[in-house]
Amino acid sequence: MKNLFICLAVLTTLFSSCKSNDNPTPTKTKTEYISAKTWIIDNLTVNGIIMLYQKGNTQNLYDLSKVTFNLNSNGTVTGTDNNGTAITGGTWAFNSDQSKVVLTNVTIQGGLALSSEFTLIQLNDTNFDIQGNVSYMGQTGNAVVKMIAK
């Protein structure tokens, strides 16, 4: 009887110490996702048909292979353009429901301006995709900009 009692006590202790994790990993906020990485352009399509840039393509209309973006948690945009010139003076913010990203004064040397309100298509640890108007050499078009983490 004493051995049965000891076995039950040991089993009870074992089972009670094997609790499931009641504290799941917290999810990141959109600001944490967007500001945690340096982003590079994977591809940029204008008006649904003109592929202005695609990473790895040797016949791009505009070379964006060295462009980097940092959307900092303080609302500033920094990075480099394809000539190694610093991108400064730009800002970013989410709209009230965080479905759009508003970029202001983000210009890449050579005439590509990303200063507009962009619909957020995807945002996670590896992808940051937006859609909105871009200006290039005096022309404006609706663009899908797909970025990946560097």
Side-chain angles (χ1 to χ4, degrees), residues 8-135:
L8 286 175
V10 169
L11 287 174
T12 303
T13 303
L14 285 174
F15 285 119
S16 65
S17 65
C18 295
K19 287 185 186 178
S20 66
N21 186 359
D22 292 335
N23 298 323
T25 304
T27 58
K28 292 181 183 178
T29 66
K30 287 184 178 179
T31 299
E32 289 171 329
Y33 276 118
I34 208 168
S35 63
K37 305 284 182 175
T38 295
W39 299 100
I40 60 173
I41 298 175
D42 188 40
N43 67 62
L44 190 150
T45 306
V46 180
N47 296 332
I49 54 171
I50 301 169
M51 181 65 72
L52 190 62
Y53 173 79
Q54 182 171 18
K55 187 177 187 301
N57 185 352
T58 59
Q59 299 179 351
N60 287 308
L61 295 175
Y62 191 69
D63 185 10
L64 301 171
S65 62
K66 297 177 186 171
V67 174
T68 64
F69 293 103
N70 294 90
L71 285 82
N72 304 303
S73 60
N74 66 1
T76 61
V77 178
T78 57
T80 56
D81 69 12
N82 212 46
N83 297 319
T85 305
I87 297 172
T88 59
T91 61
W92 76 275
F94 284 114
N95 68 340
S96 61
D97 68 357
Q98 296 190 343
S99 64
K100 297 181 186 285
V101 177
V102 181
L103 299 174
T104 307
N105 296 324
V106 179
T107 304
I108 301 168
Q109 189 171 347
L112 181 65
L114 300 173
S115 294
S116 184
E117 182 175 86
F118 292 86
T119 300
L120 186 59
I121 299 170
Q122 178 177 217
L123 178 60
N124 57 42
D125 281 324
T126 58
N127 298 87
F128 172 35
D129 302 344
I130 53 177
Q131 179 176 4
N133 290 329
V134 297
S135 298

